[in-house]
Amino acid sequence: MNDMAKNLILWLVIAAVLLTVFNNFSVENAPQTMNYSQFVQQVQNEQVKSVTIDGYTISGERNDGSQFQTIRPAAEDPKLMDDLLAHNVTVVGKKPEEQSLWTRLLIASFPILLILAIFMFFMRQMQGGGAGKGGPMSFGKSKAKLLSQDQIKTTFADVAGCDEAKEEVEELVDFLRDPTKFQRLGGTIPRGVLMVGPPGTGKTLLAKSIAGEAKVPFFSISGSDFVEMFVGVGASRVRDMFEQAKKQAPCIIFIDEIDAVGRSRGAGMGGGNDEREQTLNQLLVEMDGFEANEGIIVIAATNRPDVLDPALLRPGRFDRQVVVPLPDIRGREHILNVHLRKVPLADDVKPSLIARGTPGFSGADLANLVNEAALFAARRNKRLVGMEELEMAKDKIMMGAERRSMVMTEKEKLNTAYHESGHAIIGLLMPEHDPVYKVTIIPRGRALGVTMFLPEQDRFSLSRQQIISQICSLFGGRIAEEMTLGPNGVTTGASNDIKRATELAHNMVAKWGLSEEMGPVMYDEDESHQFLGGPGQGGKLKSGETTTKLDKEVRRIIDECYQQAEKLLEENRDKLDAMAEALMQYETIDADQLKDIMEGRSPRPPKDWDEGGPGSGSPVTEQPQGESSPADDGDEDDEEPSRRPSDPLGGPAGG
Ligand SMILES: Nc1ncnc2c1ncn2[C@@H]1O[C@H](COP(=O)(O)OP(=O)(O)OP(=O)(O)O)[C@@H](O)[C@H]1O
Ligand SMILES: [Zn+2]
């Protein structure tokens, strides 16, 4: 609805209100009212000068000039007229007032107008005020945002760390620049391209940069924008969007989160979903409906290609897939460089070091990291962003913000110090375990303390030994508590450790085929099962007996790891005490200090340590080896304390 129509309705409503009010009040000019008997009495007493008779209402003036009004009990009172005339009262008749047709119409339709207005209001609310947000204009029903070719500043230079994906989409640029030329040469151009990859890897950015390179308009919409309360709305939005796009061709239509509409039909929660299916059908119809030479390319993005309706992936639709993966170490460095260009940098900044320390980070995470670092620098009144700020930003993103203000009692602190030391020592001693990079008892995010491990490189698979070692180190915290506080003193702090250890053990047995007892069999069928049932109760094919066996095997692995860790910690009790003591003193200890402790020396203080207390930032600015990753820890409760980028196998089960 356009603005004029809206204004018109508004004025109509106001007019109707005014008229109603006017009609109700205009009748009464506040004359004195009296009852009919009094009136007749006064007429007979010759007190009345004139009357106006208007239906049941009689108003008039007395001889003394005062006004009056009365209501007569019956419309006809033949005797009254005689009375009036006999007593010299001037009688004025009055035709029943003609309300204008318009007035009556308005008054009659007032409630309808009101309902209409309210309805429109909600419709607008639902459309989520895309207009007027400045910049991209939103049109009609489709809600797609249109960026004209002059508005797009993004080019391939802004996208880093996904060179293969970039190469794959390069020919689209050629095509969009000159569709007809391409056709003459007999090239077949995909109409639909599906970009697949984890969140924040730059799918939107890449799509936009295609438009930027080809200098064509860019329509963008999110799949969830199609999903509406009313059946048919989504479908009409799709139709509308393609209509608009055809007018602008050559151009790009970008549909983010296509899984919101594109899920397999009839498979969603609670059976079918008419609205979504209609929308999807419309999308399929539209994709079939335009000719390949029209110069429209539909790019869709998703991180769940597995749930998409197969019909979407058929030839002629989204038949080309471009994978946009998480960046590797070099990719991360490139992405960092892209974003570091935008801030004033100190000389000590080494993007390669940050890249090494951020496995599992997406492009969006890295952009965020640079931004956070700039904020830290601003907060510290620095003119340049240095390595220290970048490190702080990295820690914040990995482990959550430091919560120095959180009050921990000395006892809680000591307990946390032992807990983290337990993790660290087991991590240091177990074979093939990621090196420990930093241990801290400064609360971060939801965790009371954190032990950080750094994998040597990006990992895409785990060996059996690595998993065993990880389970052991996860239990290190709990065991250390038990050793120092006694069996009744242990806290709830280890619940997240236990959860993760259980998940690892479960996956070993049920998913990764790493248990001899159970064999290389997939017991968890698919993700959705785990999602609904949780680990250990998913698979349809599992008999009760198999489930029992599974649980037993998980329990065996857990018990063995627990015992192994317990033995190790008991043998190294002196190191445990020394490390906890160092943590109480410094709050954060780094790899060098850890080394000192493990070799029986007392740890040297960190570089920026003054005897006054812990330094303001994290004392570690350079890591000697490898990459960092918070392989650990949420010591407060079940909630994930922070992101854990280093789960190479898609993370633990149970979602
Ligand atoms: N490869 C990259 N190179 C440079 N910057 C990147 C890259 N990937 C992500 N970014 C930064 O992260 C921001 C968000 O990325 P983008 O929205 O493109 O991710 P996405 O894959 O579309 O995420 P989602 O799946 O959540 O929609 C970008 O605006 C950009 O600043
Ligand atoms: Zn822990």
Side-chain angles (χ1 to χ4, degrees):
M1 178 174 47
N2 61 28
D3 278 354
M4 240 182 61
K6 239 176 14 213
N7 278 341
L8 197 69
I9 288 184
L10 188 70
W11 283 114
L12 284 178
V13 170
I14 291 176
V17 170
L18 284 180
L19 273 169
T20 322
V21 169
F22 181 72
N23 259 287
N24 281 337
F25 285 93
S26 62
V27 200
E28 292 151 273
N29 276 328
Q32 182 211 346
T33 46
M34 56 184 174
N35 62 39
Y36 191 65
S37 325
Q38 279 174 326
F39 166 67
V40 175
Q41 193 68 56
Q42 289 188 3
V43 170
Q44 281 163 2
N45 292 348
E46 309 240 320
Q47 286 170 311
V48 178
K49 187 169 147 211
S50 67
V51 294
T52 305
I53 301 177
D54 177 10
Y56 282 86
T57 314
I58 300 174
S59 50
E61 197 183 332
R62 297 195 190 86
N63 287 331
D64 58 8
S66 61
Q67 305 277 325
F68 67 87
Q69 195 182 53
T70 187
I71 308 290
R72 59 172 161 175
E76 285 305 313
D77 182 0
K79 224 186 123 269
L80 174 69
M81 199 50 76
D82 299 343
D83 256 5
L84 290 171
L85 294 175
H87 292 96
N88 287 327
V89 180
T90 320
V91 179
V92 182
K94 195 174 177 194
K95 257 199 333 192
E97 194 185 306
E98 267 292 309
Q99 275 176 342
S100 84
L101 182 67
W102 280 111
T103 318
R104 271 186 294 162
L105 210 67
L106 270 174
I107 292 170
S109 58
F110 175 66
I112 298 170
L113 283 176
L114 196 69
I115 290 169
L116 211 69
I118 292 171
F119 182 73
M120 298 260 176
F121 175 74
F122 280 111
M123 283 299 279
R124 276 187 59 77
Q125 291 292 92
M126 273 177 6
Q127 301 214 347
K133 268 188 183 163
M137 93 174 200
S138 84
F139 52 77
K141 284 178 287 177
S142 89
K143 274 168 92 178
K145 286 195 203 72
L146 168 62
L147 287 176
S148 68
Q149 47 268 58
D150 322 311
Q151 280 172 307
I152 307 172
K153 301 276 179 277
T154 316
T155 64
F156 280 155
D158 299 309
V159 192
C162 47
D163 295 339
E164 281 127 18
K166 242 163 50 177
E167 267 166 39
E168 280 189 64
V169 297
E170 245 158 31
E171 68 164 2
L172 300 182
V173 176
D174 292 336
F175 166 69
L176 286 166
R177 276 191 187 142
D178 190 354
T180 45
K181 177 186 120 196
F182 218 84
Q183 274 238 314
R184 276 202 304 276
L185 298 175
T188 50
I189 280 300
R191 298 179 213 192
V193 177
L194 187 66
M195 292 198 178
V196 180
T201 44
K203 298 181 289 294
T204 313
L205 195 69
L206 186 60
K208 207 186 266 183
S209 70
I210 298 172
E213 291 282 337
K215 302 211 169 25
V216 297
F218 182 77
F219 290 89
S220 72
I221 193 162
S222 169
S224 54
D225 289 341
F226 290 123
V227 184
E228 283 293 343
M229 201 154 42
F230 301 114
V231 175
V233 175
S236 85
R237 290 212 170 121
V238 171
R239 208 175 311 127
D240 208 66
M241 180 176 73
F242 276 86
E243 250 164 49
Q244 300 285 336
K246 276 176 197 161
K247 288 180 204 150
Q248 302 271 347
C251 68
I252 286 179
I253 296 179
F254 178 71
I255 307 174
D256 206 354
E257 296 172 47
I258 189 150
D259 38 302
V261 274
R263 268 168 199 273
S264 300
R265 280 165 289 187
M269 298 257 182
N273 175 339
D274 275 352
E275 159 63 359
R276 202 174 52 70
E277 282 183 19
Q278 273 198 19
T279 310
L280 176 55
N281 286 336
Q282 188 63 37
L283 187 64
L284 297 176
V285 167
E286 294 289 348
M287 296 232 18
D288 294 338
F290 64 82
E291 291 303 315
N293 61 1
E294 266 181 82
I296 299 177
I297 291 182
V298 187
I299 301 179
T302 181
N303 43 35
R304 298 291 312 272
D306 50 314
V307 302
L308 291 184
D309 196 294
L312 269 175
L313 309 177
R314 241 172 252 149
R317 294 166 184 166
F318 295 101
D319 48 5
R320 182 174 304 195
Q321 294 205 9
V322 174
V323 179
V324 188
L326 284 174
D328 61 6
I329 179 164
R330 274 194 45 239
R332 289 196 297 274
E333 190 178 337
H334 291 155
I335 296 174
L336 277 169
N337 283 329
V338 166
H339 292 283
L340 286 171
R341 280 205 301 257
K342 299 169 196 159
V343 294
L345 281 190
D347 289 339
D348 67 338
V349 172
K350 290 197 195 68
S352 59
L353 263 181
I354 306 282
R356 263 214 268 165
T358 47
F361 271 46
S362 67
D365 292 330
L366 293 168
N368 184 26
L369 188 154
V370 173
N371 187 43
E372 288 283 350
L375 291 178
F376 273 127
R379 224 172 287 154
R380 303 164 123 205
N381 292 323
K382 288 199 175 176
R383 276 189 311 110
L384 302 174
V385 176
M387 201 60 180
E388 206 182 333
E389 284 85 23
L390 287 165
E391 284 282 347
M392 283 163 71
K394 187 186 85 185
D395 286 356
K396 178 174 173 191
I397 292 168
M398 281 185 151
M399 308 186 285
E402 282 187 4
R403 289 193 297 167
R404 285 177 180 278
S405 60
M406 194 172 125
V407 192
M408 282 209 287
T409 62
E410 279 304 291
K411 189 158 167 268
E412 275 172 324
K413 254 170 102 171
L414 187 65
N415 185 37
T416 309
Y418 269 108
H419 181 106
E420 297 307 327
S421 303
H423 284 313
I425 289 177
I426 303 293
L428 287 163
L429 294 175
M430 285 302 290
E432 286 186 46
H433 200 288
D434 295 332
V436 182
Y437 146 60
K438 194 191 261 189
V439 186
T440 175
I441 57 166
I442 299 171
R444 269 181 185 278
R446 307 191 66 92
L448 293 183
V450 182
T451 304
M452 291 177 73
F453 302 100
L454 49 149
E456 305 284 2
Q457 70 266 321
D458 294 351
R459 267 186 336 218
F460 300 100
S461 69
L462 286 168
S463 70
R464 191 169 189 282
Q465 180 62 58
Q466 280 171 328
I467 302 170
I468 296 280
S469 295
Q470 208 168 319
I471 297 176
C472 289
S473 73
L474 280 167
F475 282 126
R478 168 58 165 269
I479 296 167
E481 283 189 44
E482 227 171 69
M483 283 167 65
T484 50
L485 302 168
N488 289 329
V490 290
T491 67
T492 54
S495 77
N496 189 56
D497 299 336
I498 293 170
K499 179 169 161 237
R500 294 183 54 214
T502 313
E503 282 167 353
L504 278 173
H506 175 85
N507 285 347
M508 275 179 82
V509 179
K511 226 172 156 180
W512 300 331
L514 293 174
S515 147
E516 266 167 39
E517 176 74 22
M518 300 301 284
V521 175
M522 179 74 153
Y523 293 96
D524 287 340
E525 266 135 66
D526 57 53
E527 299 285 316
S528 57
H529 257 121
Q530 290 172 29
F531 185 70
L532 296 173
Q537 33 184 303
K540 270 180 264 171
L541 299 176
K542 272 188 283 181
S543 63
E545 195 192 337
T546 317
T547 311
T548 319
K549 260 172 83 186
L550 257 176
D551 289 344
K552 254 201 193 133
E553 181 66 359
V554 170
R555 181 65 203 256
R556 187 188 62 79
I557 293 175
I558 297 266
D559 284 347
E560 275 180 25
C561 290
Y562 197 94
Q563 279 155 18
Q564 199 178 351
E566 197 168 22
K567 187 158 159 280
L568 268 178
L569 270 189
E570 267 158 14
E571 287 165 7
N572 291 280
R573 178 64 197 248
D574 52 330
K575 315 256 162 60
L576 182 68
D577 290 331
M579 198 178 291
E581 194 184 314
L583 275 173
M584 289 303 279
Q585 190 182 357
Y586 302 121
E587 293 197 335
T588 301
I589 53 180
D590 60 19
D592 288 340
Q593 291 172 299
L594 287 169
K595 195 156 169 251
D596 288 340
I597 293 168
M598 293 312 278
E599 285 166 10
R601 296 184 298 267
S602 75
R604 65 204 113 153
K607 282 172 228 147
D608 60 351
W609 181 259
D610 52 10
E611 281 308 309
S616 61
S618 73
V620 180
T621 49
E622 267 194 14
Q623 314 118 53
Q625 359 120 18
E627 313 191 282
S628 69
S629 127
D632 196 28
D633 230 2
D635 286 343
E636 201 169 31
D637 52 41
D638 277 344
E639 305 259 343
E640 294 274 305
S642 58
R643 44 168 299 122
R644 283 183 226 298
S646 70
D647 269 324
L649 300 176

